[in-house]
Amino acid sequence: MSNIVSDEFWMRHALVLARRAWDEGEVPVGAVLVQGERVIGEGWNRPIGHHDPSAHAEIMALRQGGKVLQNYRLIDTTLYVTLEPCVMCAGAMVHGRVSRLVYGAKDEKTGAAGSQLNVFGHPGMNHQVKIEQGVLAEECAALLSDFFRYRRAEKKALRDKLRAQSPQID
């Protein structure tokens, strides 16, 4: 399987996981950690449900991969994630020795693979992660946009309902 076909295949898998996050009321980000052609870790955003600010999709996949390999060093692995990683997740990938990162949508607000800053390109890093960006970017970005549009509409409906129930003061 060529890299492009393989990258799209695994990114589609990450999108399925991102939809799981949405179903759980979390920001829809999914991640798949692959070694060779084998999934060794999967994750989707769960900080709300787990009451854990570190429960990002990437961290969940890396934790599972470490348990599968019985090693925190995730040598010869590729992490597929639907959204550009934040600083925390980028740092975990460097420390875990992930070989390659493939991500879909850019995160202009908090992205640490080049959008806001580039953790991976910092000269002080003791490990280099190869980066491929923009795989199924439109689908990944659309899922996030749809989620936030839905959440805003939900909040507006709740505000409107509360206003309608409140007694009017003249």
Side-chain angles (χ1 to χ4, degrees):
M1 187 167 5
S2 76
N3 248 10
I4 293 170
V5 172
S6 178
D7 287 349
E8 287 184 4
F9 174 84
W10 293 118
M11 189 61 72
R12 288 190 196 292
H13 187 84
L15 279 162
V16 168
L17 297 171
R19 289 181 188 94
R20 272 185 92 167
W22 181 327
D23 292 343
E24 293 179 13
E26 304 274 1
V27 174
V29 178
V32 182
L33 184 63
V34 177
Q35 188 178 55
E37 291 296 317
R38 179 180 115 176
V39 173
I40 61 169
E42 296 180 331
W44 56 94
N45 269 2
R46 301 180 92 182
I48 298 167
H50 281 215
H51 310 291
D52 178 357
S54 70
H56 288 194
E58 300 95 322
I59 300 297
M60 303 302 276
L62 295 173
R63 285 177 182 159
Q64 193 176 68
K67 287 179 182 174
V68 166
L69 296 179
Q70 291 294 290
N71 194 335
Y72 79 96
R73 291 183 181 229
L74 306 167
I75 307 296
D76 296 325
T77 59
T78 298
L79 184 67
Y80 294 88
V81 63
T82 57
L83 181 65
E84 180 181 358
C86 70
V87 172
M88 173 184 68
C89 295
M93 282 179 245
V94 170
H95 288 292
R97 308 299 195 277
V98 170
S99 301
R100 188 167 170 254
L101 163 67
V102 178
Y103 72 87
K106 287 182 136 324
D107 185 348
E108 298 296 338
K109 292 181 181 176
T110 63
S115 288
Q116 272 300 313
L117 56 125
N118 187 356
V119 168
F120 302 105
H122 191 279
M125 290 296 131
N126 62 341
H127 173 73
Q128 297 299 310
V129 177
K130 294 177 188 161
I131 300 171
E132 178 75 33
Q133 64 183 17
V135 174
L136 300 181
E138 288 179 18
E139 289 177 50
C140 294
L143 182 63
L144 287 156
S145 294
D146 291 348
F147 174 79
F148 287 113
R149 187 178 311 108
Y150 174 79
R151 291 294 290 264
R152 284 189 300 273
E154 228 179 14
K155 286 181 181 181
K156 182 184 182 310
L158 180 60
R159 278 192 312 272
D160 292 347
K161 181 179 177 182
L162 290 173
R163 273 192 215 116
Q165 291 174 349
S166 296
Q168 299 296 324
I169 300 174
D170 290 326

